[in-house]
């Protein structure tokens, strides 16, 4: 192993990028403001054009400035953040018991996105696939077990960009007694998945959300219209019944620059007589 | 607005990167395997060296291959994932009532990281700062309100890389009646923050975790030893008492390639008489 160098002066382009980042964080360069040109950087930091270009490329990869095609880069204007709260889980469960008119009036997507349902273009795709090794472990089934797979996408008809995307897997055995659940023409189903499951006698008692993040692939970045340097948050929601049986996984991606996931954990009170 | 071109063939370097990404996802190029050299890419996809270099740079930015200094890039070996579950919130609350010996035996860090406590190097830093406009909103206090700020960091003494980092804010008024809570020399405090709060009569009844993600700054990437293309997950944990008062915020960063955050939401049962 090489010894770690101590207090090495970082390359000039890193220092320039950090100086500009701090100007952005302090608000001296507000959203929409042009950052210094390559010539200005070169003069102010006494560096070559390659270092100036390197600094700008780094700020772009960190998601701090726009990647204008030929245009001067500006400090990125953060998009409006959509908050998705785990409190929806109980709301959706309670909705499943409401009359159909009420269930139909409240679509999940309505409250999830900064755009009314009417303005979005929805597509859903149903098919049946084998669980495969990864989902087999989650569901505790054989990898060859047949699953109902449902994929949903919403796009903005003006930009054709993706607004939401998710894919759900349910063991076919759980839902096949109600053939209406296998038909995508019944979308949007009033009350959503929790009501659908109620028609086959399943009640969800616990949701587990598993969250991580990664950089998008080229195709994903194009589909969502993601600027450079913006990760995708990945959330797998696992629905579990009262017997601890995994009923559904629902995988969704969320662009990190426009999404906040909130998870609420109520705590049980301490007993009255404290031992402390 | 420019019309959106339909079915444009993407630039060659994007197609090459996607081809190689799919080989990685299908396991044809397993973790640790060398990806094709620039010469091989140039020959196989009949492209120039610049396109080959562009494809490799893209795979690196997406976090799929290592950025070997002068070495041939290989498919990244994913680090072991640490799972952090919201079920810890209740466990930590219950721990606060246990005798000191028991509280001291279970450190938070012990179960959080893939490294025993003894092997980690800890530092904590306490100071008092004004809330400022952003935290003032979260706490519902004046921006000039004094806060106890505590920052914790754990590093690996062998690599000097960061293993964990978080910063906590508590209004000074809440904790100052127990001066022991203001002294970093009392770290590690047996039982952690929930026990500390119990000494000033505060019981946390709800935790809200707010999660998003972003690319690290240059400095952060160096501190954590993050490979290119790996985002940081940002989690703000807000502790709330029975009166709905915000008691503490705790902000933490987690490298997305080695962390999964799990959030468990128990659901209340449907009433016995179903109206469906």
């Amino acid at each position: 192993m090489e010894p770690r160098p101590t207090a090495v002066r970082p390359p000039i382009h890193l220092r320039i990028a950090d100086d500009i980042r701090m100007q952005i964080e302090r608000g001296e360069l507000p959203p929409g403001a042009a950052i210094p040109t390559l010539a200005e950087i070169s003069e102010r930091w006494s560096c070559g054009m390659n270092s100036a270009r390197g600094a700008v490329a780094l700020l772009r990869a960190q998601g701090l400035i726009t990647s204008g095609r030929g245009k001067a880069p500006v400090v990125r204007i953060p998009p409006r953040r959509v908050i998705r709260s785990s409190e929806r889980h109980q709301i959706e469960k309670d909705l499943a018991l409401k009359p159909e008119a009420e269930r139909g009036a409240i679509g999940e997507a309505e409250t999830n996105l900064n755009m009314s349902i009417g303005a979005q273009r929805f597509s859903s795709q149903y098919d049946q696939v084998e669980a495969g090794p990864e989902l087999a472990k989650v569901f505790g089934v054989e990898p060859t077990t047949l699953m109902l797979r449902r994929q949903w996408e919403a796009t903005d008809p003006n930009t054709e960009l993706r607004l939401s995307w998710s894919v759900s897997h349910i063991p076919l055995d759980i839902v096949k007694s109600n053939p209406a659940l296998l038909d995508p023409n019944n979308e949007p189903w009033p009350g959503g998945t929790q009501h659908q499951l109620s028609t086959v006698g399943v009640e969800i008692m616990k949701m587990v959300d598993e969250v991580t993040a990664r950089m998008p692939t080229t195709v994903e970045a194009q589909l969502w219209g993601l600027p450079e340097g913006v990760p995708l948050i990945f959330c797998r929601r696992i629905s579990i019944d009262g017997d601890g049986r995994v009923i559904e996984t629902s995988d969704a991606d969320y662009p990190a620059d426009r999404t906040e996931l909130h998870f609420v954990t109520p705590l049980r009170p301490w007993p009255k007589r404290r031992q402390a």
Side-chain angles (χ1 to χ4, degrees), chain A residues 53-164:
Chain A
R53 263 189 289 270
V56 172
L58 199 59
L59 290 167
R60 193 173 281 141
Q62 293 174 351
L64 294 168
I65 61 173
T66 59
S67 32
R69 296 170 168 277
K71 283 186 248 165
V74 298
V75 178
R76 183 169 293 161
I77 300 168
R80 194 171 139 206
R81 285 244 174 124
V82 176
I83 293 172
R84 301 180 58 100
S85 169
S86 64
E87 292 184 309
R88 286 200 61 79
H89 297 336
Q90 184 72 51
I91 292 170
E92 285 166 26
K93 175 164 181 176
D94 295 343
L95 189 64
L97 294 190
K98 297 279 159 64
E100 176 161 346
E102 199 172 334
R103 276 185 278 127
I106 309 171
E108 186 188 8
E110 186 88 285
T111 47
N112 283 341
L113 298 163
N114 275 330
M115 198 172 185
S116 73
I117 277 197
Q120 299 176 38
R121 181 188 298 149
F122 288 96
S123 74
S124 55
Q125 193 190 321
Y126 283 38
D127 55 6
Q128 297 175 16
V129 294
E130 292 191 353
E134 198 254 337
L135 284 179
K137 257 191 234 168
V138 177
F139 283 91
V141 298
E142 292 300 314
T144 52
T145 305
L146 271 183
M147 313 292 283
L148 172 64
R149 178 172 68 177
R150 303 177 296 166
Q151 296 182 70
W152 295 282
E153 189 186 26
T155 52
D156 180 335
N158 297 315
T159 61
E160 312 222 348
L161 292 176
R162 185 176 272 184
L163 294 167
S164 68

Side-chain angles (χ1 to χ4, degrees), chain A residues 16-24 29 35-36 41 45 59:
Chain A
I16 300 169
D18 255 10
D19 285 353
I20 296 179
R21 176 180 60 78
M22 283 187 280
Q23 286 184 284
I24 294 172
L29 283 172
I35 66 163
I41 291 174
W45 280 272
L59 290 167

Side-chain angles (χ1 to χ4, degrees), chain A residues 141-261:
Chain A
V141 298
E142 292 300 314
T144 52
T145 305
L146 271 183
M147 313 292 283
L148 172 64
R149 178 172 68 177
R150 303 177 296 166
Q151 296 182 70
W152 295 282
E153 189 186 26
T155 52
D156 180 335
N158 297 315
T159 61
E160 312 222 348
L161 292 176
R162 185 176 272 184
L163 294 167
S164 68
W165 173 86
S166 65
V167 55
S168 151
H169 287 87
I170 303 177
L172 192 59
D173 273 349
I174 293 178
V175 281
K176 69 179 178 195
S177 63
N178 183 359
L181 302 183
L182 310 182
D183 184 353
N185 294 314
N186 293 323
E187 296 262 357
W189 186 282
T193 297
Q194 298 228 36
H195 181 268
Q196 291 178 311
L197 291 171
S198 76
T199 70
V200 291
V202 172
E203 177 177 3
I204 301 302
M205 294 304 294
K206 187 163 85 170
M207 298 275 201
V208 180
D209 289 280
E210 301 184 351
V211 180
T212 184
R214 59 177 170 74
M215 289 312 284
T217 65
T218 312
V219 170
E220 289 170 330
Q222 287 169 341
L223 285 170
W224 289 96
L226 286 183
E228 225 180 308
V230 174
L232 279 177
I233 301 172
F234 174 79
C235 182
R236 164 167 288 176
R237 190 190 64 207
I238 304 177
S239 301
I240 300 168
D241 75 2
D243 299 326
R245 185 173 56 146
V246 174
I247 303 295
E248 183 196 27
T249 59
S250 175
D251 297 340
D253 285 326
Y254 304 103
D257 63 346
R258 59 202 82 161
T259 315
E260 253 180 55
L261 303 182

Side-chain angles (χ1 to χ4, degrees), chain A residues 1-41:
Chain A
M1 282 199 22
E2 292 175 352
R4 278 171 64 90
T6 48
V8 167
R9 206 169 157 73
I12 179 75
H13 73 282
L14 298 187
R15 277 186 287 134
I16 300 169
D18 255 10
D19 285 353
I20 296 179
R21 176 180 60 78
M22 283 187 280
Q23 286 184 284
I24 294 172
E25 288 176 356
R26 285 194 300 260
E28 292 159 23
L29 283 172
I35 66 163
T37 63
L38 295 179
E40 286 166 351
I41 291 174

